[in-house]
Amino acid sequence: MRFGERGEWYVVGQFTLLGLLVLALWLTPSFSPSWLTWLGRGLSWLGLGVLLLAAWQLGRNLTALPKPKPGGYLVQQGLYRVVRHPIYCGLLLWALGSSLAHLNPWTVLLCGLLFALLDRKASLEEHWLQERFPEYKSYRRRVKKLIPWIY
């Protein structure tokens, strides 16, 4: 199997953007008022909690790659009843919260780029999930993609 056939470039892009966001949080000035800093920190912690719980609920299906593992099964319970990609949702909550807590053009830009990349990665993942699991089509109609009840 060649590099990229299972969506490896999305993982490289995802971790690159996360690394750049962490650097921006450390190296750039913050323009957040204190109330926004606290709100952002709260969202960040909530995002980490969602990410960890969703990873645990995914169980042995967990992979950073968008291509599902062979022999995997479709998870539709727990956080997966509320949003189809709760790990990405948690990651985006962390990024948004961190960006609000340390507000500047770089953190906002990187958060927006991460959203766009995870949205595309989720779309590729859904293509493969729909090929493997016939019931995915109805699950997709019932449950929002990245933001519960909205998108």
Side-chain angles (χ1 to χ4, degrees):
M1 195 169 259
R2 292 183 15 229
F3 187 85
E5 289 180 353
R6 296 177 299 154
E8 290 90 345
W9 286 113
Y10 284 98
V11 177
V12 169
Q14 172 183 330
F15 283 101
T16 299
L17 287 173
L18 286 170
L20 289 171
L21 181 55
V22 168
L23 280 175
L25 293 170
W26 282 343
L27 300 176
T28 60
S30 174
F31 303 106
S32 293
S34 64
W35 68 269
L36 194 56
T37 299
W38 287 106
L39 174 66
R41 287 179 183 166
L43 285 175
S44 293
W45 283 107
L46 176 63
L48 285 175
V50 166
L51 188 155
L52 292 172
L53 180 58
W56 178 73
Q57 290 175 344
L58 197 54
R60 66 179 172 89
N61 288 314
L62 182 63
T63 177
L65 298 171
K67 185 147 191 152
K69 284 183 170 182
Y73 54 91
L74 184 61
V75 176
Q76 298 182 57
Q77 61 272 8
L79 293 176
Y80 292 83
R81 280 187 299 158
V82 181
V83 65
R84 294 192 310 261
H85 300 278
I87 292 176
Y88 300 162
C89 177
L91 196 53
L92 290 169
L93 266 174
W94 173 84
L96 176 63
S98 297
S99 296
L100 292 175
H102 193 89
L103 192 60
N104 71 50
W106 290 109
T107 59
V108 172
L109 173 68
L110 290 165
C111 184
L113 289 173
L114 182 64
F115 179 85
L117 181 116
L118 290 176
D119 186 45
R120 290 186 52 110
K121 182 182 177 190
S123 293
L124 177 61
E125 187 174 336
E126 291 188 335
H127 170 76
W128 282 322
L129 286 167
Q130 201 161 310
E131 282 180 349
R132 183 167 300 167
F133 303 107
E135 66 271 26
Y136 195 80
K137 196 173 195 173
S138 67
Y139 173 62
R140 192 173 175 179
R141 279 193 300 268
R142 287 189 324 271
V143 179
K144 297 295 184 183
K145 185 178 187 180
L146 291 172
I147 303 169
W149 307 289
I150 297 172
Y151 176 76

